[in-house]
Amino acid sequence: MTEHRLIMAFESSADETSVAIIRDGNEIVSLETATQIKSHQRFGGIVPEVASRHHIEQVTLLADAALQDADVTYDDLTAITVTQGPGLVGALLIGVTAAKTIAWAHNLPLVPVIHLAGHISAANFVEPIQYPALALMVSGGHTELVLMREEYDYLVIGDTRDDAAGECYDKVGRTMGLKYPSGKIIDEMAHRGEDAYDLPRAMLNEDNFDFSFSGLKSAVINLMHNAEQRGESVDLDNLATSFQHAVVDVLVGKTERALKAYPVKSFIVAGGVAANQGLRDGLNELMQQFPDTRYIPVPIALAGDNAAMIGAAGDIAYRHGKRGEWDLNANPALEFNYLEE
Ligand code: KG4
Ligand code: ZN
């Protein structure tokens, strides 16, 4: 009988506390997540101290629940994996400390992972990623094109010069008077409206894989303010549609450029913004042009932050021999390397 790997994973980089138990890197045995969105909503964004306090309250309860739901004990586990960064330092510290304590107490290997590797590895719950692979990683904090020449090799070929795509959704949503986080709400509005406003598509035609979203954000804010000053009303559904078209055009356009420059076996779209229906439709259409590349959109339920994806990334890191020492610390600035050519 072959031995199965059973990995317990912790995620606490932002406003979700999450613990999962993952078998062989591709099967969710249990997943327990506590979201704090309601606590942060009235501030229009994440308040770091509030986030840390919620993580402390939840983490041990979720660990117990994950074991119970999986019907296993610590003795059945192969390793403990945790998001080391990037994220809010005080929030990360709770997951890292919980993981270290459990690994030490139960004599288990400790495996630190980069949060973004987690987002991408969620694709393995759909089908095995084949290498070389490319990922469009779009979240509240990141907008990157990541090349993986082989497993456990993550290299950034392009990223945002300013705001991340999700951050742009949230800031535009705030201007439109929507609740935080606004991505999903704008996505729904965009499907009701018409593309009536002319908005910029920054860097779309530049010969690189980088993004810039701050100009688009400013254009929407200016449009709202100018209309207000003139006493005109803005059709928010139409604005949402025009805004979403601008974001999707740039994300899809840069992905097309990257897929032409780097022919790959798998293409993955991951991160919270990967739940966006407009983006999924745009990429579906784009991928018709690349029949030799498997298109793997991360399931919508696993696109946002969760510990299952960290377990999938942790399984890869574990197999590649990555181990954390007992002095492992949270690293809020942890990033992938850039491809040097
Ligand atoms: O990956 P994630 O859960 O957290 C980070 O690691 O940042 O991403 C959260 C971001 C938020 O900015 C949220 O507005 C955005 O993902 N988001 C969306 C959608 N659902 C979530 N953006 C656009 N369309 C959506 N349907
Ligand atoms: Zn994330």
Side-chain angles (χ1 to χ4, degrees), residues 96-265:
V96 167
T97 306
K100 273 203 303 198
T101 308
I102 291 170
W104 184 78
H106 298 278
N107 203 16
L108 289 163
L110 176 68
V111 182
V113 299
I114 301 186
H115 180 78
L116 310 174
H119 276 298
I120 296 169
S121 305
N124 277 326
F125 293 119
V126 182
E127 62 178 66
I129 301 173
Q130 293 174 50
Y131 299 91
L134 183 81
L136 174 65
M137 175 46 240
V138 268
S139 70
H142 291 79
T143 302
E144 297 184 346
L145 280 158
V146 182
L147 179 67
M148 293 155 280
R149 293 167 301 185
E150 56 192 17
E151 192 182 64
Y152 202 54
D153 167 63
Y154 306 94
L155 291 169
V156 177
I157 59 167
D159 79 352
T160 180
R161 305 264 171 97
D162 39 61
D163 292 358
E167 185 182 0
C168 189
Y169 266 93
D170 295 337
K171 287 180 177 166
V172 161
R174 195 180 176 140
T175 310
M176 290 165 74
L178 308 174
K179 266 194 201 160
Y180 168 87
S182 320
K184 189 164 187 274
I185 309 168
I186 294 180
D187 191 9
E188 286 159 6
M189 292 166 68
H191 284 85
R192 291 196 295 264
E194 279 169 33
D195 191 346
Y197 298 99
D198 191 19
L199 294 173
R201 278 131 175 91
M203 300 179 73
L204 180 56
N205 296 317
E206 284 182 27
D207 189 16
N208 57 40
F209 310 112
D210 291 333
F211 305 90
S212 167
F213 289 106
S214 70
L216 174 60
K217 173 191 69 187
S218 304
V220 173
I221 293 172
N222 289 342
L223 193 149
M224 296 277 297
H225 285 175
N226 290 343
E228 198 179 320
Q229 272 172 358
R230 284 197 228 105
E232 294 168 9
S233 67
V234 173
D235 184 313
L236 292 183
D237 285 349
N238 287 355
L239 185 57
T241 309
S242 298
F243 167 74
Q244 178 139 310
H245 281 188
V247 174
V248 170
D249 277 357
V250 174
L251 292 175
V252 172
K254 291 286 174 161
T255 300
E256 178 178 4
R257 196 180 283 278
L259 285 169
K260 284 180 175 157
Y262 299 96
V264 290
K265 291 193 179 145

Side-chain angles (χ1 to χ4, degrees), residues 302-326:
L302 297 175
D305 292 348
N306 66 84
M309 68 187 202
I310 301 305
D315 188 83
I316 295 171
Y318 172 80
R319 287 190 282 103
H320 286 262
K322 176 76 176 174
R323 300 292 181 268
E325 303 296 327
W326 298 128

